[in-house]
Coordinates of all heavy atoms in Angstrom, one line a residue:
M280 N 135.2 105.8 185.2 CA 136.2 104.9 184.9 C 137.4 105.7 184.3 O 138.6 105.2 184.4 CB 135.7 103.9 183.8 CG 136.5 102.5 184.0 SD 136.1 101.3 182.8 CE 134.6 100.6 183.4
A281 N 137.3 106.9 183.8 CA 138.3 107.6 183.2 C 139.3 108.0 184.3 O 140.5 108.2 184.0 CB 137.8 108.9 182.5
D282 N 138.9 108.3 185.5 CA 139.8 108.7 186.6 C 140.8 107.5 186.9 O 141.9 107.8 187.3 CB 139.0 109.0 187.8 CG 138.2 110.3 187.6 OD1 138.5 111.1 186.8 OD2 137.2 110.5 188.4
M283 N 140.3 106.3 186.8 CA 141.2 105.2 187.0 C 142.3 105.1 186.0 O 143.4 104.6 186.3 CB 140.4 103.9 187.0 CG 139.7 103.6 188.3 SD 138.9 102.0 188.2 CE 137.2 102.5 188.0
S284 N 142.1 105.6 184.8 CA 143.2 105.6 183.8 C 144.3 106.3 184.2 O 145.5 105.9 183.9 CB 142.6 106.2 182.5 OG 143.5 106.2 181.5
A285 N 144.1 107.4 184.9 CA 145.3 108.3 185.4 C 146.0 107.6 186.5 O 147.2 107.9 186.6 CB 144.7 109.6 185.8
E286 N 145.4 106.7 187.1 CA 146.1 105.9 188.3 C 147.0 104.9 187.7 O 147.9 104.5 188.5 CB 145.0 105.2 189.1 CG 144.1 106.2 189.8 CD 143.0 105.4 190.6 OE1 143.1 104.2 190.8 OE2 142.0 106.1 190.9
L287 N 147.0 104.4 186.5 CA 147.8 103.4 186.0 C 148.9 103.8 185.1 O 148.6 104.5 184.1 CB 146.9 102.3 185.3 CG 145.9 101.6 186.1 CD1 145.0 100.8 185.2 CD2 146.5 100.7 187.1
S288 N 150.1 103.5 185.3 CA 151.2 103.8 184.4 C 151.2 102.9 183.2 O 150.4 101.8 183.2 CB 152.5 103.6 185.1 OG 152.7 102.3 185.4
G289 N 151.9 103.2 182.2 CA 152.0 102.2 181.0 C 152.4 100.9 181.4 O 151.7 99.9 181.0
P290 N 153.6 100.7 182.2 CA 154.0 99.4 182.5 C 152.9 98.7 183.4 O 152.7 97.4 183.2 CB 155.2 99.6 183.3 CG 155.8 100.9 182.8 CD 154.5 101.7 182.5
Q291 N 152.1 99.4 184.2 CA 151.1 98.7 184.9 C 149.9 98.3 184.1 O 149.4 97.1 184.2 CB 150.5 99.7 186.0 CG 151.4 99.9 187.2 CD 150.9 101.0 188.1 OE1 150.4 102.1 187.7 NE2 151.1 100.9 189.4
R292 N 149.6 99.0 183.1 CA 148.6 98.7 182.1 C 149.0 97.4 181.4 O 148.2 96.4 181.2 CB 148.3 99.8 181.1 CG 147.5 100.9 181.6 CD 147.2 101.9 180.5 NE 146.5 103.0 181.0 CZ 147.0 104.2 181.4 NH1 148.3 104.4 181.4 NH2 146.1 105.2 181.8
A293 N 150.3 97.4 180.9 CA 150.8 96.2 180.2 C 150.8 95.0 181.2 O 150.5 93.9 180.7 CB 152.2 96.6 179.7
A294 N 151.2 95.2 182.4 CA 151.2 94.1 183.3 C 149.9 93.5 183.5 O 149.7 92.2 183.5 CB 151.8 94.6 184.7
I295 N 148.9 94.3 183.7 CA 147.5 93.8 183.8 C 147.1 93.1 182.6 O 146.5 91.9 182.7 CB 146.5 95.0 184.2 CG1 146.8 95.5 185.6 CG2 145.0 94.5 184.1 CD1 146.1 96.9 185.9
F296 N 147.4 93.6 181.5 CA 146.9 92.9 180.2 C 147.6 91.6 180.1 O 147.0 90.6 179.8 CB 147.2 93.9 179.0 CG 146.7 93.3 177.7 CD1 145.4 93.5 177.4 CD2 147.6 92.7 176.8 CE1 145.0 92.9 176.2 CE2 147.2 92.2 175.7 CZ 145.9 92.3 175.3
L297 N 148.9 91.6 180.3 CA 149.7 90.3 180.1 C 149.3 89.3 181.1 O 149.2 88.1 180.8 CB 151.2 90.7 180.1 CG 151.7 91.4 178.9 CD1 153.1 91.8 179.2 CD2 151.5 90.6 177.7
L298 N 149.1 89.7 182.4 CA 148.7 88.8 183.4 C 147.3 88.1 183.0 O 147.1 86.9 183.3 CB 148.6 89.4 184.7 CG 149.9 89.7 185.4 CD1 149.8 90.6 186.6 CD2 150.7 88.5 185.8
G299 N 146.5 88.9 182.3 CA 145.2 88.3 181.9 C 145.3 87.3 180.8 O 144.5 86.5 180.6
L300 N 146.4 87.4 180.0 CA 146.6 86.4 179.0 C 147.1 85.0 179.4 O 147.1 84.1 178.7 CB 147.6 87.0 178.0 CG 147.3 88.3 177.2 CD1 148.4 88.7 176.3 CD2 146.0 88.0 176.4
G301 N 147.6 85.0 180.6 CA 148.2 83.8 181.2 C 149.6 83.7 180.8 O 150.2 84.5 180.0
E302 N 150.3 82.6 181.3 CA 151.7 82.5 181.2 C 152.2 82.3 179.7 O 153.1 83.0 179.3 CB 152.1 81.3 182.1 CG 153.6 81.1 182.2 CD 154.0 80.0 183.1 OE1 153.2 79.7 184.0 OE2 155.1 79.4 182.9
A303 N 151.6 81.5 179.0 CA 152.0 81.2 177.7 C 151.9 82.4 176.8 O 152.7 82.8 176.0 CB 151.3 80.0 177.0
G304 N 150.7 83.1 176.9 CA 150.4 84.3 176.1 C 151.3 85.5 176.5 O 151.8 86.1 175.5
A305 N 151.5 85.7 177.7 CA 152.4 86.7 178.1 C 153.8 86.5 177.6 O 154.5 87.4 177.1 CB 152.4 86.9 179.7
A306 N 154.3 85.2 177.8 CA 155.7 84.9 177.3 C 155.8 85.1 175.8 O 156.8 85.6 175.4 CB 156.0 83.5 177.7
A307 N 154.8 84.8 175.0 CA 154.8 84.9 173.7 C 154.9 86.4 173.2 O 155.6 86.7 172.3 CB 153.6 84.4 173.0
I308 N 154.3 87.2 173.9 CA 154.4 88.7 173.7 C 155.7 89.3 174.2 O 156.4 90.1 173.5 CB 153.3 89.4 174.3 CG1 151.9 89.1 173.5 CG2 153.4 90.9 174.2 CD1 150.6 89.6 174.0
M309 N 156.1 88.9 175.4 CA 157.3 89.5 176.0 C 158.6 89.1 175.3 O 159.5 89.9 175.3 CB 157.3 89.1 177.5 CG 156.2 89.8 178.3 SD 156.2 89.3 180.0 CE 157.5 90.4 180.7
K310 N 158.6 88.0 174.6 CA 159.8 87.7 173.8 C 160.1 88.7 172.7 O 161.2 88.7 172.2 CB 159.8 86.2 173.3 CG 158.8 86.0 172.1 CD 158.9 84.6 171.7 CE 158.0 84.3 170.5 NZ 158.0 82.9 170.1
H311 N 159.1 89.5 172.3 CA 159.3 90.5 171.3 C 159.6 91.9 171.8 O 159.7 92.8 171.1 CB 158.0 90.6 170.4 CG 157.7 89.3 169.7 ND1 158.5 88.9 168.6 CD2 156.8 88.3 169.9 CE1 158.1 87.7 168.2 NE2 157.0 87.3 169.0
M312 N 159.6 91.9 173.2 CA 159.9 93.3 173.8 C 161.4 93.4 174.1 O 162.1 92.4 174.2 CB 159.1 93.3 175.1 CG 157.6 93.3 175.0 SD 156.6 93.0 176.5 CE 157.1 94.4 177.5
A313 N 161.8 94.7 174.2 CA 163.2 95.0 174.5 C 163.4 94.6 176.0 O 162.5 94.7 176.8 CB 163.4 96.5 174.3
P314 N 164.7 94.3 176.4 CA 165.0 93.9 177.7 C 164.5 94.9 178.8 O 164.0 94.6 179.8 CB 166.5 93.8 177.7 CG 166.8 93.4 176.3 CD 165.8 94.2 175.5
R315 N 164.7 96.2 178.5 CA 164.3 97.3 179.4 C 162.7 97.3 179.6 O 162.2 97.4 180.7 CB 164.8 98.6 179.0 CG 164.4 99.8 179.9 CD 165.2 99.6 181.2 NE 164.9 100.7 182.1 CZ 164.6 100.6 183.3 NH1 164.7 99.5 183.9 NH2 164.3 101.6 184.0
E316 N 162.0 97.0 178.5 CA 160.5 96.9 178.6 C 160.1 95.8 179.4 O 159.2 95.8 180.3 CB 159.9 96.8 177.2 CG 160.1 98.0 176.4 CD 159.6 97.9 174.9 OE1 159.9 96.7 174.4 OE2 159.1 98.8 174.4
V317 N 160.8 94.6 179.2 CA 160.5 93.4 180.0 C 160.7 93.7 181.5 O 159.9 93.3 182.3 CB 161.3 92.2 179.5 CG1 161.1 91.0 180.4 CG2 160.8 91.8 178.1
Q318 N 161.8 94.3 181.8 CA 162.1 94.7 183.2 C 161.1 95.5 183.8 O 160.6 95.3 184.9 CB 163.5 95.4 183.3 CG 163.8 95.7 184.7 CD 165.2 96.5 184.8 OE1 165.9 96.7 183.7 NE2 165.6 96.8 185.9
R319 N 160.7 96.6 183.1 CA 159.6 97.5 183.6 C 158.3 96.9 183.8 O 157.7 97.0 184.9 CB 159.5 98.7 182.7 CG 160.6 99.7 182.8 CD 160.4 100.8 181.9 NE 161.5 101.8 181.9 CZ 161.9 102.6 181.0 NH1 161.2 102.7 179.9 NH2 162.9 103.4 181.2
V320 N 157.9 96.0 182.9 CA 156.6 95.4 183.0 C 156.7 94.3 184.1 O 155.7 94.1 184.8 CB 156.2 94.7 181.6 CG1 154.9 93.9 181.8 CG2 155.9 95.9 180.6
G321 N 157.8 93.6 184.1 CA 158.0 92.6 185.2 C 157.9 93.2 186.6 O 157.3 92.6 187.5
E322 N 158.5 94.3 186.8 CA 158.5 95.1 188.0 C 157.0 95.5 188.4 O 156.6 95.4 189.5 CB 159.4 96.3 188.0 CG 160.8 96.0 188.1 CD 161.7 97.2 187.8 OE1 161.2 98.2 187.5 OE2 163.0 97.0 187.8
A323 N 156.3 96.0 187.4 CA 154.9 96.3 187.6 C 154.1 95.1 187.9 O 153.2 95.2 188.9 CB 154.4 96.9 186.3
M324 N 154.4 93.9 187.3 CA 153.6 92.7 187.6 C 153.9 92.3 189.1 O 152.9 91.9 189.8 CB 154.1 91.5 186.7 CG 153.5 91.6 185.3 SD 154.2 90.2 184.4 CE 153.3 90.3 182.9
A325 N 155.1 92.4 189.5 CA 155.4 92.0 190.9 C 154.8 92.9 191.9 O 154.5 92.5 193.0 CB 157.0 92.0 191.1
C326 N 154.5 94.2 191.6 CA 154.0 95.1 192.5 C 152.5 95.3 192.5 O 151.9 95.9 193.3 CB 154.7 96.5 192.2 SG 156.4 96.5 192.6
L327 N 151.8 94.6 191.5 CA 150.4 94.8 191.4 C 149.7 94.2 192.5 O 150.0 93.1 193.0 CB 149.9 94.1 190.1 CG 150.0 94.9 188.8 CD1 149.6 94.0 187.7 CD2 149.3 96.2 188.8
Q328 N 148.8 94.9 193.1 CA 147.9 94.4 194.2 C 146.5 94.9 194.1 O 146.3 96.1 193.7 CB 148.5 94.9 195.6 CG 149.8 94.3 195.9 CD 150.3 94.8 197.2 OE1 149.7 95.5 198.0 NE2 151.6 94.5 197.6
D329 N 145.5 94.2 194.4 CA 144.2 94.6 194.4 C 143.7 95.2 193.2 O 143.2 96.4 193.1 CB 143.9 95.6 195.6 CG 144.2 94.9 197.0 OD1 144.0 93.7 197.1 OD2 144.8 95.6 197.9
V330 N 143.9 94.6 192.1 CA 143.5 95.1 190.8 C 142.0 94.8 190.7 O 141.6 93.7 190.8 CB 144.2 94.4 189.6 CG1 143.7 94.9 188.3 CG2 145.7 94.7 189.7
S331 N 141.2 95.9 190.5 CA 139.8 95.7 190.5 C 139.3 95.3 189.1 O 140.0 95.4 188.0 CB 139.1 97.0 190.8 OG 139.3 97.9 189.7
N332 N 138.1 94.7 189.0 CA 137.5 94.4 187.7 C 137.4 95.5 186.8 O 137.5 95.4 185.7 CB 136.2 93.7 188.0 CG 136.3 92.3 188.5 OD1 137.4 91.6 188.4 ND2 135.3 91.8 189.2
E333 N 137.1 96.7 187.4 CA 136.9 97.9 186.6 C 138.3 98.3 186.0 O 138.3 98.7 184.8 CB 136.5 99.1 187.5 CG 135.0 98.9 187.9 CD 134.5 100.1 188.8 OE1 135.4 100.6 189.6 OE2 133.4 100.5 188.7
Q334 N 139.4 98.1 186.7 CA 140.7 98.4 186.1 C 141.0 97.5 185.0 O 141.6 97.8 184.0 CB 141.8 98.4 187.2 CG 141.8 99.6 188.1 CD 142.7 99.5 189.3 OE1 142.7 98.5 190.0 NE2 143.4 100.5 189.6
I335 N 140.7 96.2 185.2 CA 141.0 95.2 184.1 C 140.1 95.6 182.9 O 140.6 95.6 181.8 CB 140.6 93.8 184.6 CG1 141.6 93.4 185.7 CG2 140.7 92.8 183.5 CD1 141.2 92.2 186.5
A336 N 138.8 95.9 183.1 CA 138.0 96.3 181.9 C 138.5 97.5 181.3 O 138.5 97.6 180.0 CB 136.5 96.5 182.5
L337 N 139.0 98.4 182.1 CA 139.6 99.7 181.5 C 140.7 99.4 180.6 O 140.9 99.9 179.5 CB 140.0 100.7 182.6 CG 140.7 101.9 182.2 CD1 139.8 102.8 181.5 CD2 141.4 102.6 183.3
V338 N 141.7 98.5 181.1 CA 142.9 98.2 180.3 C 142.5 97.5 179.0 O 143.0 97.8 177.9 CB 143.8 97.3 181.2 CG1 144.9 96.8 180.3 CG2 144.4 98.2 182.3
V339 N 141.6 96.5 179.2 CA 141.2 95.7 178.0 C 140.4 96.7 177.0 O 140.6 96.5 175.7 CB 140.2 94.5 178.4 CG1 139.6 93.9 177.2 CG2 141.1 93.5 179.2
Q340 N 139.6 97.5 177.4 CA 138.9 98.5 176.5 C 139.9 99.4 175.9 O 139.7 99.7 174.7 CB 137.8 99.2 177.3 CG 137.0 100.2 176.4 CD 136.2 99.4 175.4 OE1 135.5 98.4 175.7 NE2 136.4 99.8 174.2
E341 N 140.8 99.9 176.6 CA 141.8 100.8 176.0 C 142.6 100.1 174.9 O 142.9 100.6 173.9 CB 142.8 101.3 177.1 CG 143.6 102.3 176.7 CD 144.5 102.8 177.9 OE1 144.7 102.1 178.9 OE2 145.0 103.9 177.8
F342 N 143.0 98.9 175.2 CA 143.7 98.1 174.2 C 142.8 97.9 173.0 O 143.3 98.1 171.8 CB 144.2 96.7 174.8 CG 144.7 95.8 173.7 CD1 146.1 96.0 173.4 CD2 144.0 94.8 173.2 CE1 146.6 95.1 172.3 CE2 144.5 94.0 172.2 CZ 145.9 94.1 171.8
S343 N 141.6 97.5 173.2 CA 140.6 97.3 172.0 C 140.5 98.6 171.3 O 140.5 98.5 170.0 CB 139.4 96.8 172.6 OG 138.4 96.6 171.6
D344 N 140.3 99.7 171.9 CA 140.2 101.0 171.2 C 141.4 101.3 170.4 O 141.3 101.7 169.2 CB 140.0 102.1 172.2 CG 138.6 102.1 172.9 OD1 137.7 101.3 172.4 OD2 138.4 102.7 173.9
K345 N 142.6 101.1 171.0 CA 143.9 101.4 170.2 C 144.0 100.5 169.1 O 144.5 100.9 168.0 CB 145.0 101.4 171.2 CG 145.0 102.6 172.1 CD 146.3 102.6 173.0 CE 146.2 103.9 173.9 NZ 147.4 104.0 174.7
I346 N 143.8 99.2 169.3 CA 144.1 98.2 168.2 C 143.1 98.4 167.0 O 143.4 98.1 165.9 CB 144.1 96.7 168.8 CG1 144.8 95.8 167.8 CG2 142.7 96.3 169.0 CD1 146.2 96.1 167.7
S347 N 141.8 98.8 167.3 CA 140.8 99.0 166.3 C 141.2 100.2 165.4 O 140.7 100.3 164.2 CB 139.4 99.2 166.9 OG 139.4 100.5 167.5
R348 N 142.1 101.1 165.9 CA 142.5 102.3 165.0 C 143.7 101.9 164.2 O 144.1 102.7 163.3 CB 142.8 103.5 166.0 CG 141.6 104.0 166.6 CD 141.9 105.3 167.4 NE 142.7 104.8 168.5 CZ 142.5 105.3 169.7 NH1 141.7 106.3 169.9 NH2 143.3 104.9 170.7
V349 N 144.3 100.8 164.4 CA 145.5 100.4 163.6 C 145.1 99.6 162.4 O 144.4 98.7 162.6 CB 146.5 99.6 164.5 CG1 147.6 99.1 163.7 CG2 146.9 100.4 165.7
S350 N 145.5 100.0 161.2 CA 145.3 99.3 160.0 C 146.7 98.9 159.5 O 147.3 99.7 158.8 CB 144.5 100.2 159.1 OG 144.4 99.5 157.9
P351 N 147.1 97.7 159.7 CA 148.4 97.3 159.2 C 148.5 97.2 157.7 O 149.6 97.1 157.1 CB 148.6 95.9 159.8 CG 147.3 95.4 160.2 CD 146.4 96.6 160.4
I352 N 147.4 97.1 157.0 CA 147.5 96.9 155.5 C 147.9 98.2 154.9 O 147.3 99.3 155.1 CB 146.0 96.5 155.0 CG1 145.7 95.2 155.6 CG2 146.1 96.5 153.5 CD1 144.4 94.7 155.3
G353 N 149.0 98.1 154.2 CA 149.6 99.3 153.5 C 150.5 100.2 154.3 O 151.3 100.8 153.7
V354 N 150.4 100.1 155.6 CA 151.3 100.9 156.5 C 152.4 100.0 157.0 O 152.2 99.2 157.8 CB 150.5 101.5 157.6 CG1 151.5 102.3 158.5 CG2 149.4 102.4 157.1
G355 N 153.5 100.1 156.4 CA 154.7 99.3 156.8 C 154.5 97.9 156.4 O 155.1 96.9 157.0
A356 N 153.7 97.6 155.4 CA 153.4 96.2 155.0 C 154.6 95.5 154.5 O 154.7 94.2 154.8 CB 152.3 96.2 153.9
G357 N 155.5 96.2 153.8 CA 156.7 95.6 153.4 C 157.6 95.0 154.5 O 158.1 94.0 154.6
D358 N 157.7 95.9 155.5 CA 158.5 95.5 156.7 C 157.9 94.4 157.5 O 158.5 93.5 157.9 CB 158.7 96.8 157.7 CG 159.6 97.8 157.1 OD1 160.4 97.5 156.2 OD2 159.5 99.0 157.5
F359 N 156.6 94.5 157.6 CA 155.8 93.5 158.3 C 156.0 92.1 157.6 O 156.3 91.1 158.2 CB 154.3 93.8 158.3 CG 153.4 92.8 158.9 CD1 153.3 92.6 160.2 CD2 152.8 91.9 158.0 CE1 152.5 91.6 160.8 CE2 151.9 90.9 158.6 CZ 151.8 90.7 159.9
T360 N 155.9 92.2 156.3 CA 156.0 90.9 155.5 C 157.4 90.3 155.7 O 157.5 89.1 155.9 CB 155.7 91.2 154.0 OG1 154.4 91.7 153.9 CG2 155.8 89.9 153.2
R361 N 158.5 91.1 155.6 CA 159.8 90.6 155.7 C 160.0 90.0 157.2 O 160.6 88.9 157.3 CB 160.8 91.8 155.5 CG 161.1 92.1 154.1 CD 162.3 93.0 154.0 NE 161.9 94.3 154.3 CZ 161.2 95.1 153.5 NH1 160.8 94.7 152.3 NH2 161.0 96.3 153.9
R362 N 159.5 90.7 158.2 CA 159.6 90.2 159.5 C 158.9 88.8 159.7 O 159.4 87.9 160.3 CB 159.2 91.1 160.6 CG 160.1 92.3 160.8 CD 159.7 93.1 162.0 NE 158.3 93.6 162.1 CZ 157.9 94.7 161.5 NH1 158.7 95.5 160.8 NH2 156.6 95.0 161.6
V363 N 157.7 88.7 159.2 CA 156.9 87.5 159.3 C 157.6 86.3 158.5 O 157.6 85.2 159.0 CB 155.5 87.7 158.8 CG1 154.7 86.4 158.7 CG2 154.8 88.7 159.7
M364 N 158.1 86.7 157.4 CA 158.7 85.6 156.6 C 160.0 85.1 157.1 O 160.4 84.0 156.9 CB 158.9 86.1 155.2 CG 157.6 86.5 154.4 SD 156.3 85.2 154.4 CE 157.1 84.0 153.3
V365 N 160.7 85.9 157.9 CA 161.9 85.5 158.5 C 161.6 84.7 159.7 O 161.9 83.6 160.0 CB 162.8 86.7 159.0 CG1 164.0 86.3 159.9 CG2 163.2 87.5 157.8

């Protein structure tokens, strides 16, 4: 499965993940992205073909691994709180 990771670009990984969330979930995330990021991911979504279950699993596992290493408590908590409160 590690070889498949090299086959996917960042925008392709994001596209696969967002498509898996469905329209409402993807829209909720994309509204926080920069216009250029939305364009790149949108282009990747439009070009995706024959995404295998293994590729989907790889993207989801990679996201899970990365998110489990992030601890928002204490790191930028002040900025996070201000953004959430606004």
Side-chain angles (χ1 to χ4, degrees):
M280 211 185 275
D282 293 337
M283 280 185 252
S284 178
E286 295 175 17
L287 297 172
S288 68
Q291 288 172 319
R292 286 182 179 96
I295 290 169
F296 184 80
L297 291 172
L298 287 168
L300 294 178
E302 189 174 332
I308 290 174
M309 292 178 83
K310 73 179 182 180
H311 297 286
M312 295 167 59
R315 183 69 180 135
E316 292 171 323
V317 172
Q318 180 182 359
R319 287 181 179 157
V320 172
E322 289 170 357
M324 285 177 170
C326 293
L327 282 177
Q328 294 180 6
D329 300 324
V330 177
S331 71
N332 287 338
E333 288 177 326
Q334 287 173 312
I335 295 168
L337 172 72
V338 168
V339 171
Q340 184 61 51
E341 186 176 24
F342 174 79
S343 177
D344 291 346
K345 286 183 179 183
I346 200 70
S347 68
R348 290 184 291 223
V349 175
S350 175
I352 298 174
V354 178
D358 292 337
F359 173 82
T360 303
R361 277 189 287 284
R362 287 191 307 270
V363 170
M364 298 306 288
V365 172

